Each structure stands twice: as C-alpha cells, then as structure tokens.
Amino acid sequence: MTLAKIRKVYSKVDNKSIAKQLGMTTHENATPIRVIHNSAGHLLGPARSLGGVVIGYLGVRVFTPQPVSKVIQTVGGCNVLMGLIAMARDVESLYAGVKALVCVLKSNPFSRSEMEQITGYQVLAMLLRKKSSFLNSHILHLIFTLVGTIDSTKEVCGIPNLPAFRDLLCDLELWHQAPVEVEKSLFEHFFELISDSGIQRSSNNIKIL
C-alpha cells in the first residue's frame, strides 16, 4: 500500500491526513505503507478513523509507558541527574535537581546500586560543596530523605542508607560552608538520631556517628 493507493482505495481525506503526517505528497507511490485497520469502530465519511499506519519495512514500534525512575536508565542513569545538579545556577534549579535525584533513588533499586558503584554520593557531595551558597533547609531535608533518616510514610529504624549518610551528612566541611541555620539543623538531626527512644537503635546510631 502506498499513499497513491490509499487515495484510490480509501478516500482523499485519509490520503491527505496521512501525507501531512509523513511530510509527503498525496500522489507519492514509492514508500511502502502498511495499514492496520481500526476494528474498534468505523464511522462514516471523513470522521472514520483509518487505524494505525506503519511506514517502510521496519515493522511496528510499540511504546510502553514507564515511570521516569526506570526510563532514566536508558538515557544515562544517575549521571544525567547529577549533570542537572552541576548545571544549577540558583537555589530553585539546585533544589529541583536534587529532588529529581532523590525521587529516582527512592523508587528505583537499580539506581541506588548504580550510585554506590560509581561512588555517586561522593560526587554529589562535591557538587553540593561547589553550590554551598545555594544550600538551604529544604535541600537538607531532601538529603535526610535520601539517607532515609526521615520518612513520612513509615517508621524509620536506624540509618537505612549508610553510604549516603557517610558521604553526604557526615561531610562536615560541606555543611560548614552552608548558611549557619542549615548547619545547625544538621547537628540537631544528629542529636535526634543518638537520642532515639529505642535503646538498640540509639546505640547503633551512636556507633555509626
């Protein structure tokens, strides 16, 4: 089937519609086009939906919706998100970059494994050190969420993400360069961890710190 044959077999309306989408003339008679009929419902006249159109000999391409946390692996993984953080030029863009990274890491175990393999938390700490003037309590809270010491959906037991805790929160030089209130919030969080109501959890946190 070609555009010229579609013009003869179906209608000029279908022919023009497909030609416009493909950027071809309505009389094109060389490029093979395969028509997948629409069996859901046939309407009369120009309102009739022809169905799917497959161009050339490459077959049908199927697109399956996937969450961003999975799709990100196909375009570079965590390195892409760290690139967004590196390009941040203000507080808003830095917050957006860190939030995107945290959301992906919290929902995709493969990304968390990748971050550990590429020592990504150390790289993130280095990037944040360069953006220390943009750090605020909201970004610090995102780091708490990444480490897992703050989670509104469940009760936190200990320190779930030790590599992130060690490379990010325990990098005191990083937070010393941040505004005073941010550094104060960090130390207050440390105090909360070691004064946990659970004796076992408290002692474990003290050993880690």
Side-chain angles (χ1 to χ4, degrees):
M1 187 71 73
T2 62
L3 279 172
K5 288 184 179 180
I6 289 176
R7 181 186 178 92
K8 294 178 181 179
V9 175
Y10 294 98
S11 71
K12 293 182 179 180
V13 174
D14 291 328
N15 172 264
K16 289 181 179 179
S17 177
I18 296 172
K20 182 179 179 180
Q21 292 294 326
L22 303 183
M24 300 177 180
T25 64
T26 56
H27 297 281
E28 212 282 334
N29 199 29
T31 303
I33 296 175
R34 194 174 304 167
V35 177
I36 303 173
H37 289 280
N38 181 6
S39 60
H42 293 283
L43 302 177
L44 298 175
R48 184 186 74 254
S49 177
L50 189 64
V53 176
V54 183
I55 309 165
Y57 297 102
L58 300 179
V60 180
R61 293 186 180 184
V62 179
F63 296 90
T64 305
Q66 295 286 346
V68 174
S69 59
K70 289 186 178 180
V71 174
I72 198 69
Q73 296 300 329
T74 66
V75 292
C78 295
N79 289 318
V80 173
L81 298 173
M82 297 243 251
L84 294 177
I85 295 172
M87 291 188 295
R89 293 293 178 265
D90 52 39
V91 176
E92 289 77 15
S93 57
L94 179 62
Y95 176 82
V98 174
K99 186 173 183 179
L101 178 63
V102 171
C103 290
V104 168
L105 292 177
K106 293 293 285 184
S107 57
N108 190 343
F110 183 83
S111 295
R112 291 197 293 272
S113 176
E114 179 191 7
M115 278 292 281
E116 294 182 22
Q117 291 174 2
I118 65 174
T119 60
Y121 297 116
Q122 294 180 21
V123 175
L124 178 58
M126 179 195 69
L127 294 175
L128 293 178
R129 194 176 294 114
K130 292 182 178 180
K131 315 285 183 182
S132 58
S133 60
F134 298 147
L135 294 177
N136 58 27
S137 58
H138 299 293
I139 294 175
L140 178 61
H141 193 276
L142 285 176
I143 302 300
F144 290 159
T145 303
L146 173 61
V147 172
T149 51
I150 290 181
D151 194 333
S152 58
T153 61
K154 61 182 178 180
E155 183 180 357
V156 176
C157 181
I159 301 173
N161 192 337
L162 284 175
F165 180 81
R166 180 187 63 242
D167 295 334
L168 291 171
L169 291 185
C170 291
D171 188 344
L172 300 183
E173 180 183 347
L174 161 63
W175 301 106
H176 186 64
Q177 296 175 12
V180 176
E181 62 272 12
V182 176
E183 187 179 21
K184 180 181 177 183
S185 297
L186 173 66
F187 290 135
E188 288 175 348
H189 187 63
F190 284 160
F191 180 75
E192 292 173 1
L193 291 176
I194 62 177
S195 60
D196 196 303
S197 56
I199 298 176
Q200 183 65 36
R201 282 181 295 177
S202 179
S203 60
N204 288 339
N205 291 344
I206 291 174
K207 290 179 182 178
I208 293 172
L209 285 167

